[in-house]
Amino acid sequence: MFINIGLFLLQTLFDLYIYIVILRFLLQTMHVGYFNPLSQFAIRFTQPIIKPLQKIFPEIKHIDLAIVFLIIVLELIKVSLLLVLQLQAFPNIAGLLLFALANLINKFIMFYFYAIIIRVILSWITPVHHNPVFFALTQLTEPVLHPIRRVLPMLGGFDLSPLAALIGLQLLSLIIVTPLLHAAASLIIS
């Protein structure tokens, strides 16, 4: 029982921090303002680790490689610890890398899934449209929703692009993440 509690806490703490680093990466990539409260939140939690890494890893075409490196390393550490604690042995390196890759892809998919849901819920509140956090959410999710809106017109004044995006993100997870996790599991077990 204590091992399960430990595994749960370890995974939860790592995942929360990884999602904050992903938030920073996406906010920076989508050019959301530095002084936006969501940007400030992500920067405040990640800057102590990212600042030294930025001296080592350059920024290439508005992609901060220090943040990408941190996301990958954190996921690898988390997956390694979880697998070592569960298997009582260090897993196959190829399986570990594939498992971490699948988890990272799934994290980005789930990030957009929940960001779209939050955006939709907040859009029902009239005064929130001028809120800087709503503005940041709009900037983050618009690259996903805009292409769908061009294909799927509004029906009776309702924008169905969020629903289509949510379905598409779940399908993407089933098509990409699930096979990667199965392949990783087979590599780890062998």
Side-chain angles (χ1 to χ4, degrees), residues 38-109:
L38 212 50
S39 296
Q40 285 297 305
F41 166 78
I43 290 168
R44 186 166 293 132
F45 276 97
T46 59
Q47 191 64 10
I49 298 175
I50 290 177
K51 188 173 184 173
L53 291 174
Q54 286 174 328
K55 294 175 183 171
I56 300 168
F57 297 99
E59 183 175 309
I60 299 176
K61 295 184 180 182
H62 303 293
I63 296 176
D64 194 340
L65 294 182
I67 298 172
V68 173
F69 177 78
L70 180 61
I71 292 169
I72 293 168
V73 167
L74 286 171
E75 188 64 38
L76 281 170
I77 291 170
K78 181 197 86 172
V79 168
S80 298
L81 289 172
L82 290 174
L83 290 174
V84 165
L85 289 172
Q86 287 178 331
L87 302 175
Q88 302 297 319
F90 197 78
N92 177 319
I93 296 293
L96 174 73
L97 292 172
L98 195 57
F99 196 76
L101 174 67
N103 276 338
L104 280 176
I105 292 170
N106 193 49
K107 275 186 180 49
F108 275 92
I109 291 170

Side-chain angles (χ1 to χ4, degrees), residues 105-118:
I105 292 170
N106 193 49
K107 275 186 180 49
F108 275 92
I109 291 170
M110 295 315 294
F111 180 89
Y112 273 101
F113 184 85
Y114 290 116
I116 290 169
I117 289 174
I118 293 169

Side-chain angles (χ1 to χ4, degrees), residues 15-180:
D15 283 347
L16 283 173
Y17 195 74
I18 291 169
Y19 275 118
I20 293 171
V21 178
I22 287 172
L23 175 66
R24 177 174 175 167
F25 173 74
L26 292 173
L27 288 169
Q28 195 170 327
T29 304
M30 301 294 175
H31 306 293
V32 175
Y34 176 82
F35 294 106
N36 185 293
L38 212 50
S39 296
Q40 285 297 305
F41 166 78
I43 290 168
R44 186 166 293 132
F45 276 97
T46 59
Q47 191 64 10
I49 298 175
I50 290 177
K51 188 173 184 173
L53 291 174
Q54 286 174 328
K55 294 175 183 171
I56 300 168
F57 297 99
E59 183 175 309
I60 299 176
K61 295 184 180 182
H62 303 293
I63 296 176
D64 194 340
L65 294 182
I67 298 172
V68 173
F69 177 78
L70 180 61
I71 292 169
I72 293 168
V73 167
L74 286 171
E75 188 64 38
L76 281 170
I77 291 170
K78 181 197 86 172
V79 168
S80 298
L81 289 172
L82 290 174
L83 290 174
V84 165
L85 289 172
Q86 287 178 331
L87 302 175
Q88 302 297 319
F90 197 78
N92 177 319
I93 296 293
L96 174 73
L97 292 172
L98 195 57
F99 196 76
L101 174 67
N103 276 338
L104 280 176
I105 292 170
N106 193 49
K107 275 186 180 49
F108 275 92
I109 291 170
M110 295 315 294
F111 180 89
Y112 273 101
F113 184 85
Y114 290 116
I116 290 169
I117 289 174
I118 293 169
R119 177 182 170 180
V120 167
I121 291 169
L122 288 177
S123 72
W124 297 335
I125 304 168
T126 306
V128 84
H129 291 286
H130 302 292
N131 186 308
V133 173
F134 182 77
F135 180 71
L137 275 173
T138 301
Q139 278 186 280
L140 285 174
T141 57
E142 199 57 29
V144 175
L145 297 176
H146 182 70
I148 296 170
R149 239 183 253 120
R150 285 188 299 186
V151 176
L152 184 67
M154 291 182 74
L155 295 173
F158 289 103
D159 182 11
L160 297 178
S161 63
L163 179 61
L166 294 176
I167 292 169
L169 288 169
Q170 288 294 354
L171 286 173
L172 199 61
S173 180
L174 288 171
I175 292 169
I176 296 174
V177 176
T178 304
L180 285 175

Side-chain angles (χ1 to χ4, degrees), residues 91-92 94-96 98-99 178-190:
N92 177 319
L96 174 73
L98 195 57
F99 196 76
T178 304
L180 285 175
L181 287 173
H182 287 303
S186 67
L187 286 171
I188 288 171
I189 292 171
S190 63

